[in-house]
């Protein structure tokens, strides 16, 4: 309480507010946020010319050269070693991960992976399923090009992968699949037949990752995704029907939170800050409504896997969330576990909360936050996280760092190229023990220092 009383001497009002907040927190029932990581091991890789799907990845090979991608043993084995490293990180640190693989990676497993000493002599899929069952759930993922969900589930099963009943990504407002083979997510209800394995029928229970069909472009992309931390039983494939809970339907839709907010190009502080901000908003009781089931999935995007320090950054995200996990405000859970909590603890109460009403919009920045190169921070004082907002007159490299009162840097939050326009950056503060911080935002054309009080 030493630091606290020092703060009280300086800021009586702040302390009064803090006391009120603590009282209110203990008086109400806690609404936790259920969190997991997820990955799509995509069908596409750079042998198709889709070089943007993979970064930090070996010397680039010429597009369309053969063999390449997972069909190349060297590439496959590199990806396999990252997969192993990430599973070790998630498992040893007590987090949860839904690993969702498409066909091509599995074909690589079939061709090249006979198991080795690092995986107890098992292929990586079998090892994930048998030696990581406390941490990793394996879901099928398919783009329905020449193999569908049933084929991927069959392949996972034949490799020893014990696939879940989760559809790892689907089109919510149109068909998926091609030509005469097209079907909608509603067909998952009665089970779909494989295209490569027509004798196999796969009947999943949970829909996750609602990608929207873009009518203008004539394809499913991420423009009209359903962004929600909620869960319900959707009625049909129409715009309103999907967003209507129908308790008579068998399939459950589980939201993934806000996928664009946790893109893997961000720092651990930014990713954890996003999750923490949402967990905090669930304690405030204003919006989103408390007492419902909330879910958030953090993207461990395959295209960044081979970037240096990737597993270490994942470990840091888990460490930053740890204080919240210890308080029960964040709970690690796989997709299937989240749905079972919704069924038992929340008695299937539907939660159609749209992420568009996001927490950042509820935070007030000062009036000049729209002025070019003016840096605004909120809330201040902060407790678990702070948002930094600024507008760049032109694109430039921006560095954000935190300093103690002696001017010594205690954390480097960001050092990256940003485009012109407004930017909002979240910084998680839970791991810092300091009550006073200086926050510096600097670019080639400006440098601003702001003082920040942290309530401890
Ligand atoms: Zn995909």
């Amino acid at each position: 309480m030493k630091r606290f009383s020092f703060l009280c001497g300086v800021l009586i009002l702040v302390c009064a507010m803090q006391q009120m907040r603590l009282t209110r927190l203990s008086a109400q029932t806690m609404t936790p946020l259920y969190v997991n990581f997820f990955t799509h091991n995509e069908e596409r890789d750079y042998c198709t010319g889709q070089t943007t799907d993979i970064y930090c990845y070996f010397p680039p090979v010429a597009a369309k050269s053969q063999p390449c991608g997972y069909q190349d043993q060297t590439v496959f084995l590199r990806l396999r070693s990252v997969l192993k490293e990430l599973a070790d990180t998630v498992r040893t640190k007590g987090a949860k991960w839904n690993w969702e693989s498409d066909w091509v990676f599995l074909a690589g497993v079939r061709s090249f992976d006979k198991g080795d000493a690092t995986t107890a002599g098992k292929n990586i899929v079998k090892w994930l399923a048998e030696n990581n069952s406390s941490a990793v759930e394996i879901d099928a993922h398919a783009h329905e090009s020449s193999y569908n969900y049933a084929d991927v589930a069959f392949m996972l099963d034949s490799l020893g992968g014990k696939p879940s009943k989760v559809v790892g990504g689907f089109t919510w407002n149109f068909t998926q699949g091609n030509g005469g083979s097209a079907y909608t997510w509603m067909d998952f209800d009665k089970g779909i037949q494989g295209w490569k394995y027509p004798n196999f029928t796969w009947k999943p229970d949970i829909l996750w990752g609602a990608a929207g069909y873009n009518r203008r472009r004539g394809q499913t992309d991420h423009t009209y995704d359903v962004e929600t931390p909620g869960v319900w039983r959707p009625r049909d494939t129409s715009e309103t029907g999907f967003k209507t809970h129908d308790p008579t339907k068998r399939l459950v839709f589980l939201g993934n939170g806000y996928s664009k907010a946790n893109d893997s190009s961000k720092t651990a502080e930014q990713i954890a800050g996003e999750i923490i901000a949402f967990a905090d908003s669930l304690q405030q009781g204003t919006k989103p409504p408390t007492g419902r089931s909330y879910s958030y999935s953090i993207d461990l995007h395959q295209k960044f896997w081979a970037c240096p320090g990737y597993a270490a950054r994942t470990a840091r995200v888990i460490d930053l969330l740890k204080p919240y996990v210890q308080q029960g405000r964040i709970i690690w859970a796989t997709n299937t576990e989240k749905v079972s909590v919704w069924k038992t603890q929340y008695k299937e109460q539907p939660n159609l909360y749209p992420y568009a009403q996001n927490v950042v919009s509820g935070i007030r920045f000062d009036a000049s936050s729209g002025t070019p190169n003016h840096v605004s921070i909120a809330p201040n004082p902060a407790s678990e996280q702070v948002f930094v907002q600024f507008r760049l007159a032109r694109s430039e490299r921006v560095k954000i760092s935190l300093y103690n009162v002696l001017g010594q840097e205690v954390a480097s939050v960001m050092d990256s190229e940003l485009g012109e326009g407004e930017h909002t950056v979240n910084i998680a503060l839970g791991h810092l023990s300091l009550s006073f911080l200086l926050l510096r935002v600097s670019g080639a054309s400006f440098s601003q220092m702001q003082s920040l009080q942290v309530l401890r």
Side-chain angles (χ1 to χ4, degrees):
M1 288 306 277
K2 238 179 192 166
R3 278 174 320 204
F4 199 78
S5 53
F6 170 62
L7 240 185
C8 286
V10 181
L11 289 158
I12 291 159
L13 179 64
V14 165
C15 287
M17 283 166 60
Q18 169 81 347
Q19 298 288 2
M20 275 163 55
R21 190 169 157 268
L22 288 174
T23 312
R24 202 164 53 119
L25 261 183
S26 53
Q28 71 190 30
T29 317
M30 196 187 292
T31 299
L33 179 59
Y34 292 86
V35 174
N36 63 337
F37 291 108
F38 82 94
T39 292
H40 282 175
N41 265 116
E42 298 295 0
E43 167 191 320
R44 294 186 306 178
D45 54 36
Y46 59 109
C47 62
T48 63
Q50 300 284 352
T51 52
T52 53
D53 273 9
I54 304 211
Y55 298 140
C56 313
Y57 209 80
F58 314 114
V61 297
K64 297 186 169 64
S65 70
Q66 295 289 337
C68 57
Y70 304 127
Q71 299 161 51
D72 178 272
Q73 188 164 11
T74 315
V75 176
F76 170 80
L77 290 176
R78 177 65 195 275
L79 247 294
R80 180 194 192 273
S81 74
V82 182
L83 179 54
K84 161 88 170 58
E85 196 184 3
L86 286 170
D88 286 339
T89 303
V90 170
R91 187 190 66 250
T92 55
K93 286 184 170 290
K96 301 276 181 164
W97 184 21
N98 278 73
W99 178 66
E100 309 189 322
S101 183
D102 205 332
W103 179 273
V104 180
F105 182 80
L106 301 177
V109 176
R110 191 175 55 183
S111 305
F112 306 122
D113 194 348
K114 306 290 171 242
D116 60 24
T118 68
T119 55
K122 302 170 188 178
N123 76 55
I124 189 77
V125 172
K126 191 174 165 69
W127 176 80
L128 282 172
E130 294 179 359
N131 298 46
N132 299 263
S133 57
S134 63
V136 181
E137 180 169 56
I138 301 179
D139 305 335
H141 177 60
H143 287 205
E144 280 98 358
S145 52
S146 56
Y147 19 70
N148 66 8
Y149 265 96
D151 296 321
V152 175
F154 183 87
M155 180 70 130
L156 277 169
D157 196 49
S158 66
L159 291 167
K162 300 180 181 158
S164 70
K165 295 293 185 73
V166 177
V167 175
F170 65 102
T171 305
W172 68 274
N173 57 349
F174 198 62
T175 60
Q176 46 197 73
N178 43 39
S181 311
Y183 56 86
T184 75
W185 63 261
M186 290 187 77
D187 293 303
F188 286 125
D189 184 34
K190 43 187 188 296
I192 60 156
Q193 239 184 315
W195 294 341
K196 282 192 182 294
Y197 305 109
N199 293 330
F200 179 70
T201 300
W202 189 57
K203 193 174 171 181
D205 299 335
I206 298 167
L207 302 164
W208 180 93
Y213 182 77
N214 185 335
R215 285 174 201 284
R216 193 174 51 79
R217 292 176 64 191
Q219 64 182 56
T220 294
D221 55 29
H222 293 292
T223 316
Y224 301 103
D225 288 8
V226 177
E227 300 281 15
T228 175
V231 52
W232 66 87
R233 295 183 187 272
R235 195 186 63 199
D236 57 59
T237 62
S238 70
E239 172 89 26
T240 51
F242 187 79
K243 295 170 185 173
T244 301
H245 174 66
D246 182 345
T248 68
K249 298 297 182 191
R250 194 183 67 82
L251 292 168
V252 174
F253 167 63
L254 174 69
N256 61 332
Y258 184 53
S259 61
K260 293 181 189 72
N262 54 57
D263 182 272
S264 296
S265 61
K266 294 184 173 178
T267 64
E269 280 73 15
Q270 287 173 290
I271 295 166
E274 189 76 38
I275 307 292
I276 285 171
F278 199 84
D280 278 350
S281 75
L282 292 177
Q283 306 311 319
Q284 286 153 12
T286 46
K287 64 173 190 179
T290 54
R292 296 186 191 171
S293 176
Y294 288 95
S295 163
Y296 210 120
S297 300
I298 306 169
D299 194 353
L300 293 183
H301 204 299
Q302 167 205 320
K303 69 181 174 185
F304 299 102
W305 276 20
C307 296
Y310 189 80
R313 196 203 61 171
T314 303
R316 177 142 178 79
V317 171
I318 301 171
D319 288 343
L320 288 168
L321 297 179
K322 200 173 174 187
Y324 274 64
V325 172
Q326 285 167 339
Q327 292 170 38
R329 295 168 68 182
I330 286 175
I331 297 173
W332 290 107
T334 63
N335 289 342
T336 300
E337 288 167 346
K338 289 176 183 183
V339 170
S340 104
V341 165
W342 176 68
K343 287 179 179 173
T344 55
Q345 281 171 244
Y346 293 90
K347 310 290 179 227
E348 302 210 4
Q349 188 194 6
N351 180 7
L352 292 110
Y353 183 79
Y355 199 88
Q357 298 167 17
N358 71 70
V359 289
V360 179
S361 63
I363 291 174
R364 273 171 205 274
F365 293 95
D366 68 53
S368 43
S369 68
T371 315
N373 297 345
H374 173 82
V375 175
S376 179
I377 60 176
N380 189 9
S383 53
E384 302 293 344
Q385 93 282 343
V386 67
F387 293 87
V388 182
Q389 196 172 77
F390 50 92
R391 175 176 292 280
L392 295 178
R394 57 179 169 81
S395 69
E396 60 186 293
R397 191 173 189 88
V398 173
K399 193 171 185 318
I400 303 179
S401 292
L402 295 171
Y403 300 85
N404 64 19
V405 289
L406 301 173
Q408 295 157 329
E409 189 178 62
V410 292
S412 171
V413 177
M414 167 188 264
D415 185 4
S416 46
E417 196 69 33
L418 296 179
E420 180 194 328
E422 192 169 280
H423 298 274
T424 306
V425 177
N426 299 44
I427 305 172
L429 302 168
H431 60 297
L432 294 168
S433 57
L434 299 166
S435 297
F436 286 97
L437 291 166
L438 297 168
L439 190 152
R440 188 168 75 181
V441 184
S442 57
S445 65
F446 73 107
S447 177
Q448 280 202 21
M449 189 81 100
Q450 302 264 355
S451 64
L452 171 66
Q453 287 140 16
V454 186
L455 301 175
R456 295 285 172 223

